[in-house]
Amino acid sequence: MQETAPAQPTAPSWTARELAAPHTQADKPARVQSMFDAIAPSYDLNNRVHSLWRDQAWRRAAVRAAQVQAGQDVLDVACGTGDLTQALARRTQAKAVTGLDFTAGMLEVARVKQARDPDLARITYIQGDAMALPFADASFDALTIAFGIRNVQHPDRALAEFHRVLRPGGRLVILEFHRPRNPLVRWFNGVYAGHIMPRTATLLARDKSGAYRYLPKSVGSFMDAEQLRAEVARAGFADATVRPLTMGICWLHGAVKRA
Ligand SMILES: C[S@@+](CC[C@H](N)C(=O)[O-])C[C@H]1O[C@@H](n2cnc3c(N)ncnc32)[C@H](O)[C@@H]1O
């Protein structure tokens, strides 16, 4: 896979029509990559501001759910700029933490952050595809993916890969946005995420790729929390659970590979 960030796009990655069904676009992976390359430098700032500083708390909840024991191996898929990967390295006694993503620009930011902090030496960042993980069967004790499964072309293929690379008894943890169930929260979130955030986040990122118009559309047209839970179980995992965080704006899925 190419290891350098391509030039930033000057045209939107999506037309309004394509955004009505972003998950069915045949070239979704290339569009997703170019979008994340474009917004990588301001990605963390936008996350903090537009989650009203909740995003790191959601990642800490994911770390706790992963129940990583001393000496274990952990993989963070679709690691982006490495915020969850870093939390896994800082908050557990894992032997090794691997962060994998297919967007060079996001990994570049992750590596710059890693270089600033000697406590993060246990992290290895790798460029790769969630649907074809470059690891042997049963390589990891825990696998996390935060706000990534929605962006993958075929979530079922990625889940099959997660099951393959986990050791028996290994834990899968997924953080994802789904539409809130409470009608009032859903209405409020629809206005905020659908109309306010796309404008302010685009300004902050000086983005031309349309990434922040894609975000609410990709959530609205993705599986809901229960559908994704069922998909996880279908991939062969046991004890698939899901619970809401912050009034059901963000959701935490957990499951175990049968021993
Ligand atoms: C919203 S970001 C999430 C980043 C990070 N996990 C976080 O918590 O902020 C989604 C990431 O998924 C990555 N991604 C999407 N599809 C992928 C795939 N098939 N394989 C690897 N990474 C993928 C993108 O490159 C992007 O960095």
Side-chain angles (χ1 to χ4, degrees), residues 161-174:
E161 278 294 85
F162 301 168
H163 192 268
R164 181 184 69 76
V165 302
L166 273 169
R167 295 184 177 127
R171 299 194 68 80
L172 169 68
V173 174
I174 302 174

Side-chain angles (χ1 to χ4, degrees), residues 92-106:
T92 74
Q93 292 183 300
K95 180 174 74 192
V97 181
T98 304
L100 173 138
D101 200 284
F102 75 175
T103 302
M106 296 292 268

